Amino acid sequence: MTLSFIGSGFSQWQTYRVSGDRTALADAFNGHVILQKSTGEFQFLLHAGVYSFPTLGAPYFRAGKTLSEYFGPIPEAYVKYAPNENFNIIAGKIPTLGGVENGFTYQNQNIQRGLLWNQTSTIARGVQGAYTLGPIGLSFAWTDGYYTNRYTWASGSLSVQLDDSNAFMFIGAANVKPNSVSTIAAPITQNNSQIYNLIYSYASGPWTVTPYLQMTRVPAMPQYGVNVHGQTLGAAVLANYSFPAPSQWNEFSLGGVSLPFRAEYIAAKAEDADGAPNLLLGTTSRAWSLTFTPTIQRGPFFFRAEYAYVRAPKIMDGFGFGEDGDKRLQSRVSLEAGFIY
C-alpha cells in the first residue's frame, strides 16, 4: 500500500473578468491524502481532500465552494478486482473516460484545464471494466455521467499501442436516457450529451506530444427547455519538453525543469431558435487558447507559472468576457506552488 500527500496554493490575475469573478485572487486550493493498494488480486483507492478546478474561460470557484458543489471531501473511492494482468474491474467513485485532461491540477501539465476539458465530465459513480490483449486495450463503463446519481451513461474506449513511442485511442461516451438533473457540476446540456475523442500520443526522450480531436452533441429536449440540438467541434495539442537531468544553464541545473504548452480551438453551433443550448460563449460561438506553463520540481516540491490567452472571434452579446460580456479576449497569469509526497 502507498500513502500520498499533495498540497498546493494558487494565485491568479486576469483581464476582463466576468461578472462574479475577481481580477486577482489567491486560494489554498489543493490538499489531498491518497491511500492506495495497487498490487494483488484485490486493490483499492481512497482519496480525500479539498480541491478546485481552475478552467480557461470560466470563473474561478474557491476550494470550499468546489468541495460542496462537486464531489465532496472524498472525490475518489473505489475497489478493484484484477484476477490477472490483462483484466480488471473497478467500482465506486471513478475518473470518467472522456477527454484527455484529468480533473485535479497536480495530474495535469498545465495549471488550468482547457476549453475542451470544460465540455467533459470528471468523476462519476459506477463500474468500469478493462481488458488488454497485446497492444490493444478495451474499456467499458456504466456510470452516472456528471455525478447525478442517475445511472444513464455508457462509455467505452479502444487504444492501440503501435510501439514504445506511439499510440492511438478512440473514446465514446453518451447519455442513453434523458436526465433532468441540472447542477453546477452537471449542466443539463452536457449531462445529456454525447462525447467523442480521437487521440494520438507520442512520447520519446524529453518530449511528449498529444494532439486530439473532440466532438460533443446535445440532442433537442423540449421537456427540459432545450428546443433544438447543439454541438461542439474542437481540436487541441498538448506538448511538453522535460530537460534531462544533466542539463545546465550557466550554473543552474535544468533537471526537473519542464516546459508544457497547450493550444486548442473549439466551435459551438446550434440552430437560431428559442431554447437553443449555449455550450460555449453563446449558442453560436468560437474560441481558441494558448497556454504556457514553465515548471520546476525539486524532490517533492514544485513551482509553476502560467500564462494563458483566450481569444473568441465569435461570441453572442452578453456571453463574452468582461463585466458586460462584450469582450472577445482574456489573459490570465497564474502561479502554483506545493508538494507531492
Side-chain angles (χ1 to χ4, degrees):
M1 286 190 289
T2 60
L3 184 63
S4 303
F5 302 91
I6 300 101
S8 69
F10 168 77
S11 62
Q12 176 180 278
W13 178 87
Q14 63 183 329
T15 63
Y16 299 126
R17 63 178 179 87
V18 299
S19 180
D21 206 1
R22 297 186 178 185
T23 299
L25 59 89
D27 193 14
F29 77 145
N30 264 325
H32 304 263
V33 179
I34 302 172
L35 178 64
Q36 182 176 17
K37 181 179 184 294
S38 56
T39 59
E41 189 173 352
F42 293 97
Q43 306 172 23
F44 71 87
L45 179 141
L46 181 63
H47 176 179
V50 296
Y51 49 89
S52 189
F53 302 124
T55 307
L56 295 185
Y60 179 76
F61 291 162
R62 291 185 175 274
K65 183 174 182 179
T66 304
L67 199 69
S68 62
E69 297 288 350
Y70 282 80
F71 313 118
I74 303 179
E76 293 179 288
Y78 58 79
V79 293
K80 181 177 182 179
Y81 174 59
N84 56 62
E85 62 181 11
N86 296 322
F87 173 76
N88 67 74
I89 185 167
I90 62 176
K93 298 172 71 171
I94 60 179
T96 56
L97 290 176
V100 169
E101 296 182 86
N102 295 301
F104 305 103
T105 57
Y106 67 87
Q107 297 173 319
N108 295 293
Q109 66 174 38
N110 303 107
I111 300 174
Q112 298 177 86
R113 265 48 55 86
L115 300 172
L116 274 64
W117 177 88
N118 207 23
Q119 300 294 324
T120 65
S121 58
T122 305
I123 301 292
R125 289 166 286 207
V127 61
Q128 177 180 309
Y131 178 76
T132 59
L133 181 63
I136 299 174
L138 297 169
S139 294
F140 177 80
W142 183 261
T143 70
D144 65 349
Y146 285 77
Y147 206 74
T148 64
N149 208 27
R150 298 188 182 181
Y151 295 85
T152 60
W153 271 77
S155 309
S157 70
L158 167 65
S159 63
V160 180
Q161 188 73 41
L162 302 178
D163 54 36
D164 290 341
S165 300
N166 299 276
F168 280 96
M169 177 178 285
F170 174 77
I171 301 172
N175 180 58
V176 299
K177 183 179 179 180
N179 189 330
S180 62
V181 174
S182 181
T183 66
I184 290 177
I188 197 164
T189 48
Q190 278 88 350
N191 187 29
N192 286 275
S193 67
Q194 305 165 18
I195 305 167
Y196 304 99
N197 294 111
L198 182 61
I199 305 162
Y200 165 72
S201 61
Y202 169 82
S204 181
W207 282 101
T208 59
V209 183
T210 306
Y212 71 103
L213 303 173
Q214 179 171 291
M215 181 182 76
T216 71
R217 187 180 188 278
V218 176
M221 300 171 288
Q223 69 271 37
Y224 303 143
V226 182
N227 295 326
V228 296
H229 79 273
Q231 67 177 25
T232 69
L233 294 173
V237 58
L238 286 75
N240 183 38
Y241 182 85
S242 297
F243 287 91
S247 303
Q248 284 191 326
W249 180 58
N250 293 330
E251 299 299 319
F252 180 74
S253 172
L254 294 176
V257 176
S258 58
L259 301 175
F261 175 77
R262 178 182 60 214
E264 54 184 351
Y265 172 85
I266 185 170
K269 185 177 181 181
E271 295 179 38
D272 185 12
D274 291 337
N278 178 10
L279 303 176
L280 189 62
L281 300 173
T283 55
T284 301
S285 52
R286 299 192 301 270
W288 56 268
S289 74
L290 299 174
T291 307
F292 182 51
T293 315
T295 301
I296 300 175
Q297 182 158 2
R298 292 285 191 267
F301 301 101
F302 69 90
F303 172 81
R304 50 185 178 174
E306 180 168 284
Y307 175 73
Y309 178 82
V310 179
R311 177 78 180 181
K314 186 175 183 180
I315 62 173
M316 289 186 65
D317 291 341
F319 291 97
F321 303 110
E323 285 281 354
D324 299 321
D326 59 345
K327 305 300 183 184
R328 297 175 183 268
L329 60 89
Q330 185 179 71
S331 293
R332 285 180 176 173
V333 175
S334 306
L335 302 174
E336 184 185 15
F339 64 90
I340 300 175
Y341 179 76

